[in-house]
Amino acid sequence: MKEIRKWLVNSKRLSERAKANYRAFFENELEVRRHVAERSKITSDFKIMPNQASGTYKIMGQNPDVKDSCYIGIIEIDYIEGQWQAVWEVSGNTHYGFGMQVAPNILVFSFSYMDSEENLHSGMASYTFINEDIVRGEWIEDGYPDTGIEELRKMTNEETNNDNLFDANYGFSLN
């Protein structure tokens, strides 16, 4: 239960950083996360299975270069022909990654993307699955000396995603 609480506290901390005109996106997601946390169970021996881990996850994260930043987006994780793959939609950028399972409950992805100025960026993201619905992550990217964080929540099939923004307390950015 400690890991679920930590995930929820970090999600709350991220949502509190959102600028007023974007706060509703974060607060709505935080409310969904509260419900997920209430009904979630944790087992010390959770093991990732491709059919359980595959799906769409809502991301709440923080970039390492702007400590007061927050962003919200999605990641689609799939297991295709024996290979873990991921596609992130964050801050107006699409990131693509391939990964591997390095522990029973940990996936690590190598990712890359082109920014709006056509510069290539690459990095690594590590995701620890607490259970089927809750995932804690850290990532590092070229040019950043520190790690960023991402708290993921598995979305239901009925949910639609229309949140894909970045708020560094100065508004929407495609950086």
Side-chain angles (χ1 to χ4, degrees):
M1 203 57 169
K2 178 181 173 184
E3 284 299 313
I4 293 173
R5 194 171 316 121
K6 190 173 184 179
W7 170 82
L8 190 57
V9 165
N10 277 349
S11 296
K12 183 177 188 296
R13 184 177 52 82
L14 289 166
S15 67
E16 289 170 347
R17 293 181 176 169
K19 195 170 178 172
N21 52 334
Y22 298 110
R23 188 162 300 209
F25 291 107
F26 290 88
E27 288 177 352
N28 289 340
E29 176 59 21
L30 185 59
E31 188 59 30
V32 172
R33 289 172 182 237
R34 285 185 180 116
H35 292 293
V36 168
E38 287 173 7
R39 72 176 200 287
S40 286
K41 295 180 182 162
I42 187 169
T43 61
S44 59
D45 59 348
F46 181 77
K47 293 180 179 73
I48 297 170
M49 302 299 291
N51 62 333
Q52 292 174 319
S54 293
T56 304
Y57 295 81
K58 179 73 76 165
I59 301 168
M60 289 177 77
Q62 175 187 356
N63 286 325
D65 60 332
V66 182
K67 294 300 180 189
D68 289 334
S69 70
C70 57
Y71 60 86
I72 194 164
I74 61 167
I75 178 175
E76 180 75 34
I77 297 175
D78 286 310
Y79 190 74
I80 301 171
E81 298 179 6
Q83 175 71 53
W84 287 103
Q85 298 178 23
V87 177
W88 293 258
E89 293 289 339
V90 177
S91 304
N93 292 305
T94 302
H95 303 55
Y96 300 94
F98 291 94
M100 61 189 279
Q101 188 170 345
V102 297
N105 67 331
I106 299 174
L107 291 178
V108 174
F109 290 93
S110 172
F111 67 85
S112 63
Y113 69 97
M114 299 285 280
D115 66 19
S116 61
E117 297 174 4
E118 307 255 340
N119 296 313
L120 180 65
H121 298 270
S122 60
M124 301 285 292
S126 175
Y127 295 111
T128 302
F129 285 69
I130 307 306
N131 59 30
E132 287 182 51
D133 298 317
I134 296 174
V135 182
R136 306 210 57 233
E138 289 185 308
W139 58 272
I140 191 154
E141 183 178 314
D142 57 344
Y144 293 110
D146 298 317
T147 58
I149 64 166
E150 289 186 338
E151 304 295 351
L152 281 57
R153 173 192 59 87
K154 192 167 195 177
M155 296 173 66
T156 66
N157 292 336
E158 295 77 36
E159 287 183 90
T160 59
N161 179 64
N162 56 6
D163 306 335
N164 180 359
L165 57 91
F166 175 75
D167 184 349
N169 290 324
Y170 51 80
F172 183 72
S173 171
L174 294 178
N175 296 338

